[in-house]
Amino acid sequence: MKLLKPSWVNHNGKPIFSVDIHPDGTKFATGGQGEDSGKVVIWNMAPVLREEDERNENIPKLLCQMDNHLACVNCVRWSNNGLYLASGGDDKLVMVWKRAAFIGPSTVFGSSSKLANVEQWRCVMILRNHTGDVMDVAWSPHDVWLASCSVDNTIVIWNARKFPEIVMTLKGHTGLVKGLTWDPVGKYIASQADDRSLKVWRTMDWQLETNITKPFSECGGTTHVLRLSWSPDGQYLVSAHAMNNSGPTAQIIERDGWKTNMDFVGHRKAVTVVKFNPKIFKKKQKNGSTPKPSCPYCCCAVGSKDRSLSVWLTSLKRPLVVIHDLFDKSIMDITWTLNGLGLLVCSMDGTVAFLDFSQDELGDPLNEEEKNAIHQNIYGKSLAITMESQLSSTIIENPEMLKYQQERQGNQNPNEAQGIGPENQTPKLTNVLNGESLEDIRKNLLKKQVETRTADGRRRITPLCIAQLDTADFLPALFNSVPILPGSSASTQLTPQISSDSSTANSLGLRPSHDPTTTSPNKTAEDNKDSGTAAVNSIGMKSNLLLTSASKIEPMKALDSRFTERSKAMPGVTSVPLTIGITPLDRVKDSSSVKEPKGKDETSSDSEDKIMVKSIAKRKGEMEGAEVVEKRKKGRPRKDAKTMPFPQVTFLLSKDAWISKSTDGAFSEGGFTVSTDGVTYLEVENEVSVVSGSRLSQLKWSREGREWDVLLPSRIIIAAGSSNVVAVACEDRTLSVFTACGRRLIPSIILPVPMSALHCSGHFVMALTASAMLSVWDVQKQTALVKNESLNPILSGTDATVSQSFLTQQGVAVVSLSNGKTYCFNSSLETWNLIADKQDSLVQCTDFRNCVSAQDALGSMGPLALTQGRNLSAGRLASRLSSTPHHLQQGMTLAFLEKQLSSALILLSASEYRHWLLIYARFLVNEGEAVREGQCHCSQG
Amino acid sequence: MAKVQVLNVAVLDNPSPFGNPFQFEVTFECMEDLPEDLEWKIIYVGSAESEEHDQTLDSVLVGPVPAGRHMFVFQADAPNTALIPESDAVGVTVVLITCTYRGQEFIRIGYYVNNEYTDTELRENPPLKPDYGQLQRNILASNPRVTRFHINWEGCAEKMEDSENVDPAPNSMLPPSCTPGKAPPLGLLPDNSMDCL
């Protein structure tokens, strides 16, 4: 073990409360007190790791300093994907930081020191909710949520996909909450507070799972933080400050039954922080010794107010190492490098220490696959295939892979750009605007800038926008996470899922930004492009899991002899039959990505249906699902067709209520009665059994404990559901429709060609076939709203493909193309109507900002907003880039608003119609358009 | 946290005759769309002795301000010489640029200004009554003094939270390149003054 105290890591002598190493290991962040504000500093890791880098003056040590927090920063945490940094402080705020690309080093204006920030980290989100100091923040596995806890006794779970949305506020602690840790499996979050309790909360319903008080009954609230930690195998939770026989300990809590029989003892004062090594280790094989299988074990670092640090291996009874007098004051935070061999510790005395272990000391870290195998054995699902999406999310976690994917993504950008139009290409800093260099602009700025007089005669200057901010990543909520239409698969979240074979690459165009968070699933999909490997991988992994099912986690041994009870060995690995997969339907349904062949012959030539498979395993009656994205090739026998017989099981799941939940508000007239917490699952299992040569497929539906299933004679390709109906398309070109109670509504509908996309909304079912024919039925009234309408009118003359389709609640079919145009089919006129065009120059030149009232500022929610997305505001910005004459801009705005109105009308989207009508009316009033105003009154009447 | 960060202020037309308008090219960055305009002011400090002689040369509204990086040129007429005490016309004084949002000042940028005669004769024997036609104004552009204040960006001044108020930092400054004596202290700080860079 090597020990280093890099003296250059300091906050000018002010305390450092938190430290966290970036997942890619190249930098780390510290948080603490600044001069008269809170301070977050990002440091270069290389000078810590290598002496020659420390001496090399060309290698920067400090990368970025942020003084934005108004008061002391208590916690800094990198997101698992490394893209974001969250910080929480005494100013009650949680800030989320992102590196600003394309902006080089800069100095702070007016600052006497000419020290430039090497990297630019920008606060992209401020999360306000806590009414007291924020003590700890924690990203959930896969960065789905961000949790923060505070001295206001609450824990807030933020939706990390849709900041600043709050998923839940966990109330129950009666004292200052000072530490948080997520279960690595994602099932729980644990918190420790000054109220002498440690609480474990379920992430499924955010209710209290258990409340542990006994080990803390003697504790006084004397520590600044109580940072607890969960072991990487998920089996043990270790608390900060606990007491045993009047001695300070770190309490070990077993996941199994939340037993508290063991603890780490030895520290003389309260334990402030516990941090598990992210790796699971196995014994280093000695040369010459017979390779005997050893049990994997975990490693844990414990820091205390007594200023000492101890590092424990769960395979040893005694600590591996104890370091005294490392600091002058209490240890505040500990962080491990991702490879598990390095450790940074920070202290209230304002210094940090780095410990470097060798593999001889800690053991051989298991690779991700082995770690996943352990998870799989214990929980029936592996971390790698939990949540989100795909097979390779473990890889996504790995920043190097992410970088690779970004590069890859970069290479594809040209492809996409042509489909998007100019406004999306580089919303970043450019030095050339409208063909002018920044220098030219500066020369003429005074003459060119728009200056007007306000009503009270004051000068008003419209500033020239020289760069838009790349803060979009959190904003395009619509595209990121909000499914829009109940039951229909409208969710644009799907778009990222759209597979991109060369011919469909353009379909990615709908995505609003190239932000890696939103696109990572997508990129994975791209990575899997040669789906041969994908399928092979998935199979490979599974077999691997079975093979290693013999391995177990070594139980904790490192215990004080006062407690003789040895934990029993891990309950033998119940080898779980890998049942089935499930996928959130809302993600999958569209994954079929409606590849539109131009001629019927090409039917599904190379469209790839990506089907997400969620494997379920049951253990002790618990269901823990995991999803895997699988790709399926249909049609065209390619040479990798041998990989086609992917596991017999294909699962689709619909989180129906999840959809309707978010739309209940927006579509209050919809009459949805789906309870907000009811989640509907739709599972598909193909080839569930083989009866006398024929293969049966099964569709399962469940919501809040109620469930039904139905058998179908052919493989199910697509399923979709709303709260009223469930529709299933099979390989034999039949379409079956069931009520939400499982009764078959109509005999199978025979389709001329295979189904490409299927959506349900209310009582409406929409089908898009591989021959580009659209049908919409009202299954309640048993009428056809749209009858085999060809998409040729909108597809002809373009190379565009269908990138997205959905059905509104009123049964209006909407189809978006990869060229940015979106159409809906009006069944009364029997015409295709263009409702949105991303390249429309009107969109880019409108300016109706002044007419948007505060409550409308967030924009409207509905099908129109869904198709147009964020470009609307981008357009408003763009208007400032070109100094268009006022009357022209007025005309364009008017034309645009009228377009919006008619589009909302044709989509039967009442709330959006109202939204645009209000803006339109205000605009007319502002601009004094008397003639149209009259008309507006009429239409409003 | 401040939603608006001033990235740079370039002093244009400097040095220039005393009667020329002031021109500042301001570059700032905004974190998110601002629902209201920013108000910028140029204040000329006529005399170090008293605030009475401060002249607001001009104030402009700047908006709309969407998220992003923006620039504009703020031009304001030269100070009214009638309001400047004759004894303070020549020598070092200060010009301030302030920006307020919803009536709350969040940044104050101060520049030292040196007014002197270009003519050696006049410089050595300045007339009793200042000859403004001969005066040259030289703004020490390289040495801005920036004071930032925490304000409540979400609402108006009254709702300002206490926690965001931090004790004012003592702020006395004299530019190293300037002859002390007449130089007035920059910035009469409001109570919620925060960080002086």
Side-chain angles (χ1 to χ4, degrees):
Chain A
M1 187 197 78
K2 285 182 273 188
L3 179 63
L4 171 77
K5 282 195 80 174
S7 58
W8 45 269
V9 180
N10 64 65
H11 287 197
N12 297 331
K14 299 274 188 344
I16 298 178
F17 282 88
S18 184
V19 63
D20 199 36
I21 298 175
H22 190 275
D24 73 5
T26 59
K27 51 186 155 242
F28 64 97
T30 56
Q33 185 70 48
E35 291 307 318
D36 43 16
S37 62
K39 192 175 201 173
V40 177
V41 186
I42 297 172
W43 306 89
N44 197 355
M45 194 74 187
V48 176
L49 298 175
R50 284 175 296 275
E51 200 182 343
E52 64 266 27
D53 288 349
E54 189 176 7
R55 282 195 298 251
N56 186 341
E57 302 237 317
N58 295 326
I59 293 176
K61 295 187 171 67
L62 189 150
L63 298 178
C64 188
Q65 256 193 90
M66 297 93 96
D67 294 333
N68 304 31
H69 269 286
L70 305 172
C72 183
V73 175
N74 292 313
C75 189
V76 287
R77 293 288 180 262
W78 296 99
S79 62
N80 297 295
N81 60 18
L83 290 170
Y84 301 103
L85 175 72
S87 59
D90 284 356
D91 54 6
K92 309 167 193 173
L93 304 179
V94 176
M95 295 191 185
V96 181
W97 307 83
K98 181 177 191 288
R99 184 162 174 194
F102 303 101
I103 297 180
S106 70
T107 52
V108 178
F109 173 66
S111 158
S112 52
S113 81
K114 294 298 169 209
L115 197 65
N117 283 333
V118 178
E119 291 184 358
Q120 303 296 310
W121 286 80
R122 192 180 297 282
C123 178
V124 289
M125 192 52 69
I126 299 178
L127 305 175
R128 299 166 205 270
N129 186 256
H130 286 296
T131 55
D133 309 2
V134 177
M135 299 308 294
D136 206 2
V137 294
W139 296 87
S140 75
H142 302 277
D143 302 328
V144 180
W145 299 297
L146 176 69
S148 61
C149 66
S150 161
V151 300
D152 65 9
N153 300 1
T154 67
I155 299 148
V156 174
I157 311 290
W158 309 87
N159 182 349
R161 300 290 161 80
K162 207 186 148 196
F163 286 128
E165 185 184 279
I166 294 174
V167 176
M168 185 56 85
T169 303
L170 308 182
K171 291 178 181 157
H173 276 294
T174 54
L176 324 181
V177 190
K178 291 182 170 177
L180 284 175
T181 183
W182 291 91
D183 162 23
V185 188
K187 204 177 163 192
Y188 303 111
I189 178 170
S191 57
Q192 193 174 350
D194 267 355
D195 60 5
R196 296 172 189 170
S197 78
L198 184 156
K199 295 186 199 296
V200 180
W201 314 78
R202 291 187 292 268
T203 57
M204 194 196 295
D205 54 4
W206 303 110
Q207 298 303 305
L208 190 66
E209 165 78 16
T210 187
N211 183 24
I212 297 160
T213 55
K214 197 164 145 262
F216 310 105
S217 54
E218 300 173 57
C219 294
T222 55
T223 58
H224 187 84
V225 289
L226 295 166
R227 306 201 205 269
L228 62 174
S229 182
W230 214 303
S231 66
D233 59 44
Q235 286 301 289
Y236 299 100
L237 170 64
V238 178
S239 80
H241 187 35
M243 295 288 268
N244 187 346
N245 272 343
S246 316
T249 63
Q251 183 66 45
I252 298 164
I253 297 149
E254 291 172 62
R255 185 193 194 93
D256 184 12
W258 309 113
K259 289 195 283 282
T260 57
N261 297 323
M262 307 176 282
D263 46 19
F264 292 126
V265 300
H267 282 287
R268 285 157 296 160
K269 285 187 182 170
V271 170
T272 49
V273 50
V274 175
K275 195 61 153 276
F276 268 98
N277 191 311
K279 291 285 184 195
I280 301 172
F281 293 89
K282 60 176 186 269
K283 272 218 180 60
K284 182 112 183 138
Q285 297 294 342
K286 295 256 165 40
N287 280 345
S289 71
T290 49
K292 67 169 196 281
S294 67
C295 292
Y297 52 86
C298 297
C299 172
C300 178
V302 179
S304 157
K305 263 185 96 173
D306 68 8
R307 304 178 288 123
S308 64
L309 175 81
S310 55
V311 179
W312 304 71
L313 299 182
T314 54
S315 58
L316 300 176
K317 291 184 180 180
R318 300 278 165 206
L320 181 73
V321 63
V322 181
I323 304 167
H324 292 293
D325 299 320
L326 193 54
F327 298 105
D328 297 333
K329 286 183 181 164
S330 167
I331 289 176
M332 296 305 291
D333 203 1
I334 300 172
T335 175
W336 289 90
T337 58
L338 203 63
N339 69 13
L341 296 175
L343 173 71
L344 267 175
V345 193
C346 73
S347 161
M348 193 86 117
D349 71 7
T351 63
V352 302
F354 181 68
L355 275 69
D356 190 16
F357 293 95
S358 69
Q359 289 202 358
D360 290 329
E361 290 158 335
L362 294 186
D364 282 335
L366 299 188
N367 60 30
E368 285 303 302
E369 208 166 285
E370 293 168 305
K371 190 168 152 185
N372 288 330
I374 287 174
H375 279 280
Q376 183 81 25
N377 289 331
I378 303 175
Y379 307 105
K381 69 173 177 179
S382 116
L383 261 188
I385 50 176
T386 348
M387 317 288 306
E388 279 322 271
S389 10
Q390 60 298 101
L391 208 51
S392 43
S393 74
T394 20
I395 302 173
I396 286 294
E397 295 263 301
N398 177 340
E400 276 154 40
M401 191 61 193
L402 199 63
K403 202 193 281 171
Y404 164 74
Q405 285 173 339
Q406 272 165 347
E407 278 161 19
R408 224 191 137 96
Q409 179 78 2
N411 293 340
Q412 284 192 337
N413 275 347
N415 259 353
E416 294 175 20
Q418 72 189 35
I420 308 169
E423 79 273 33
N424 262 7
Q425 279 179 11
T426 36
K428 307 277 162 55
L429 180 63
T430 48
N431 283 326
V432 178
L433 299 165
N434 302 335
E436 279 180 295
S437 76
L438 197 56
E439 283 311 306
D440 291 343
I441 289 171
R442 287 182 63 177
K443 269 182 221 148
N444 298 314
L445 185 56
L446 183 62
K447 275 177 232 143
K448 288 186 75 177
Q449 75 187 5
V450 181
E451 190 169 319
T452 52
R453 292 270 170 187
T454 61
D456 51 354
R458 303 193 53 187
R459 288 169 68 193
R460 183 177 195 241
I461 296 173
T462 303
L464 180 81
C465 179
I466 55 172
Q468 295 176 27
L469 279 196
D470 53 346
T471 50
D473 21 47
F474 282 124
L475 301 176
L478 284 172
F479 283 82
N480 214 350
S481 54
V482 204
I484 306 295
L485 299 177
S488 88
S489 53
S491 141
T492 23
Q493 191 178 13
L494 314 187
T495 23
Q497 300 286 344
I498 291 168
S499 65
S500 65
D501 209 331
S502 51
S503 59
T504 49
N506 275 347
S507 63
L508 298 168
L510 267 185
R511 274 185 297 106
S513 74
H514 306 307
D515 178 63
T517 41
T518 51
T519 54
S520 52
N522 179 15
K523 281 175 280 173
T524 324
E526 283 161 20
D527 276 354
N528 291 350
K529 196 185 268 179
D530 27 8
S531 66
T533 31
V536 167
N537 275 352
S538 74
I539 292 162
M541 172 177 275
K542 277 168 194 159
S543 52
N544 180 19
L545 299 176
L546 295 176
L547 285 178
T548 53
S549 65
S551 66
K552 303 184 265 191
I553 298 280
E554 176 137 334
M556 290 268 187
K557 277 193 211 151
L559 307 173
D560 184 53
S561 48
R562 281 179 291 181
F563 283 88
T564 47
E565 182 181 337
R566 290 278 297 261
S567 68
K568 52 188 186 307
M570 271 298 309
V573 181
T574 37
S575 158
V576 197
L578 236 173
T579 12
I580 0 309
I582 300 187
T583 8
L585 184 54
D586 46 45
R587 249 185 238 132
V588 169
K589 279 179 298 187
D590 242 16
S591 67
S592 44
S593 105
V594 200
K595 159 73 177 105
E596 287 305 331
K598 294 207 185 72
K600 294 190 182 188
D601 291 347
E602 291 176 44
T603 302
S604 69
S605 57
D606 49 354
S607 81
E608 297 177 1
D609 273 5
K610 192 156 43 73
I611 292 180
M612 307 176 71
V613 177
K614 184 169 176 178
S615 49
I616 293 192
K618 289 187 177 144
R619 179 174 177 261
K620 294 181 191 163
E622 294 173 351
M623 291 264 289
E624 303 207 25
E627 301 160 13
V628 180
V629 174
E630 299 237 351
K631 286 204 151 185
R632 210 173 59 116
K633 297 251 172 199
K634 74 179 177 194
R636 197 164 86 171
R638 302 220 305 217
K639 63 175 185 290
D640 51 358
K642 59 181 187 295
T643 60
M644 244 195 61
F646 77 107
Q648 315 72 4
V649 285
T650 309
F651 257 66
L652 297 171
L653 150 145
S654 149
K655 279 188 187 164
D656 207 353
W658 195 52
I659 298 173
S660 49
K661 180 177 164 188
S662 56
T663 45
D664 268 352
F667 293 90
S668 46
E669 74 278 13
F672 262 82
T673 51
V674 183
S675 75
T676 48
D677 51 352
V679 176
T680 308
Y681 292 93
L682 200 55
E683 298 177 8
V684 170
E685 188 173 357
N686 282 332
E687 300 178 20
V688 65
S689 64
V690 179
V691 184
S692 61
S694 69
R695 291 169 172 189
L696 293 178
S697 300
Q698 190 182 42
L699 175 76
K700 274 190 196 161
W701 180 98
S702 63
R703 176 158 65 207
E704 289 170 341
R706 292 188 300 130
E707 58 178 60
W708 50 264
D709 57 83
V710 61
L711 290 169
L712 292 159
S714 173
R715 288 168 64 96
I716 296 168
I717 300 172
I718 310 176
S722 69
S723 52
N724 299 70
V725 294
V726 175
V728 185
C730 296
E731 210 172 43
D732 61 2
R733 294 190 277 121
T734 59
L735 175 69
S736 305
V737 182
F738 304 93
T739 66
C741 307
R743 182 173 59 85
R744 180 179 272 278
L745 263 176
I746 32 180
S748 296
I749 299 171
I750 300 297
L751 303 160
V753 283
M755 184 72 74
S756 189
L758 180 66
H759 305 293
C760 293
S761 177
H763 293 287
F764 304 103
V765 177
M766 161 178 171
L768 204 50
T769 65
S771 57
M773 302 295 253
L774 172 79
S775 300
V776 178
W777 302 281
D778 181 337
V779 292
Q780 191 181 37
K781 293 189 187 141
Q782 307 250 342
T783 54
L785 300 178
V786 179
K787 209 156 49 182
N788 257 349
E789 198 59 49
S790 169
L791 267 66
N792 277 335
I794 59 172
L795 285 170
S796 60
T798 66
D799 290 336
T801 56
V802 175
S803 57
Q804 185 200 9
S805 61
F806 65 88
L807 186 60
T808 73
Q809 245 202 323
Q810 284 74 28
V812 181
V814 179
V815 174
S816 297
L817 302 187
S818 56
N819 61 7
K821 292 187 164 62
T822 302
Y823 302 85
C824 74
F825 191 81
N826 184 316
S827 44
S828 45
L829 293 174
E830 298 200 350
T831 51
W832 285 100
N833 299 74
L834 178 67
I835 55 167
D837 183 356
K838 307 224 161 172
Q839 281 162 315
D840 190 344
S841 47
L842 286 178
V843 181
Q844 293 163 44
C845 299
T846 52
D847 188 2
F848 49 86
R849 249 180 89 82
N850 297 335
C851 308
V852 182
S853 69
Q855 77 239 34
D856 301 332
L858 290 171
S860 57
M861 291 284 285
L864 190 59
L866 175 67
T867 57
Q868 294 174 330
R870 228 184 100 71
N871 276 339
L872 281 183
S873 69
R876 296 194 311 231
L877 293 178
S879 71
R880 217 143 289 112
L881 291 171
S882 59
S883 26
T884 326
H886 181 70
H887 69 276
L888 199 56
Q889 186 166 322
Q890 182 187 9
M892 288 190 289
T893 309
L894 212 52
F896 170 75
L897 289 175
E898 282 165 6
K899 234 178 190 180
Q900 291 294 93
L901 268 181
S902 58
S903 296
L905 197 59
I906 207 162
L907 285 170
L908 305 174
S909 172
S911 64
E912 283 179 308
Y913 184 70
R914 191 183 131 77
H915 173 83
W916 290 108
L917 190 62
L918 284 174
I919 294 176
Y920 181 64
R922 282 190 210 111
F923 187 79
L924 291 181
V925 172
N926 284 359
E927 303 290 336
E929 285 266 338
V931 180
R932 300 209 206 191
E933 227 173 279
Q935 205 182 358
C936 185
H937 283 304
C938 295
S939 63
Q940 202 153 22
Chain B
M1 195 195 82
K3 284 187 186 169
V4 173
Q5 308 276 355
V6 174
L7 300 176
N8 192 36
V9 176
V11 183
L12 309 180
D13 189 24
N14 184 48
S16 67
F18 188 85
N20 274 21
F22 282 92
Q23 284 186 14
F24 296 100
E25 179 205 88
V26 181
T27 310
F28 65 96
E29 192 169 277
C30 184
M31 306 283 302
E32 51 193 89
D33 296 9
L34 294 182
E36 290 183 25
D37 287 353
L38 297 168
E39 183 181 3
W40 294 80
K41 270 185 202 162
I42 298 180
I43 299 165
Y44 186 81
V45 177
S47 164
E49 268 74 54
S50 160
E51 268 184 80
E52 267 175 52
H53 301 286
D54 286 5
Q55 294 185 41
T56 300
L57 300 184
D58 205 350
S59 89
V60 292
L61 298 174
V62 169
V65 183
R69 191 175 278 195
H70 312 274
M71 67 201 300
F72 69 99
V73 175
F74 188 1
Q75 175 170 326
D77 289 337
N80 180 351
T81 51
L83 301 175
I84 302 173
E86 288 181 358
S87 55
D88 290 310
V90 181
V92 176
T93 185
V94 161
V95 66
L96 297 168
I97 303 167
T98 69
C99 187
T100 57
Y101 183 69
R102 291 185 157 141
Q104 309 161 84
E105 181 176 325
F106 65 91
I107 191 165
R108 166 169 292 216
I109 301 154
Y111 285 100
Y112 287 100
V113 180
N114 190 22
N115 296 315
E116 59 183 4
Y117 294 106
T118 44
D119 185 83
T120 354
E121 178 70 20
L122 279 171
R123 204 182 296 175
E124 276 162 21
N125 303 301
L128 219 58
K129 192 155 176 71
D131 180 357
Y132 287 104
Q134 297 294 314
L135 267 182
Q136 190 195 49
R137 177 183 65 216
N138 189 358
I139 302 171
L140 290 173
S142 59
N143 214 342
R145 298 292 168 152
V146 182
T147 315
R148 295 180 170 90
F149 312 104
H150 285 304
I151 63 162
N152 182 357
W153 291 90
E154 305 306 321
C156 45
E158 298 86 78
K159 286 198 294 192
M160 176 90 180
E161 286 175 62
D162 291 341
S163 71
E164 301 198 357
N165 285 317
V166 184
D167 287 333
N171 168 357
S172 67
M173 46 186 167
L174 283 173
S177 57
C178 234
T179 41
K182 287 185 90 178
L186 272 190
L188 299 145
L189 298 177
D191 286 344
N192 60 348
S193 149
M194 245 296 296
D195 41 352
C196 308
L197 294 168

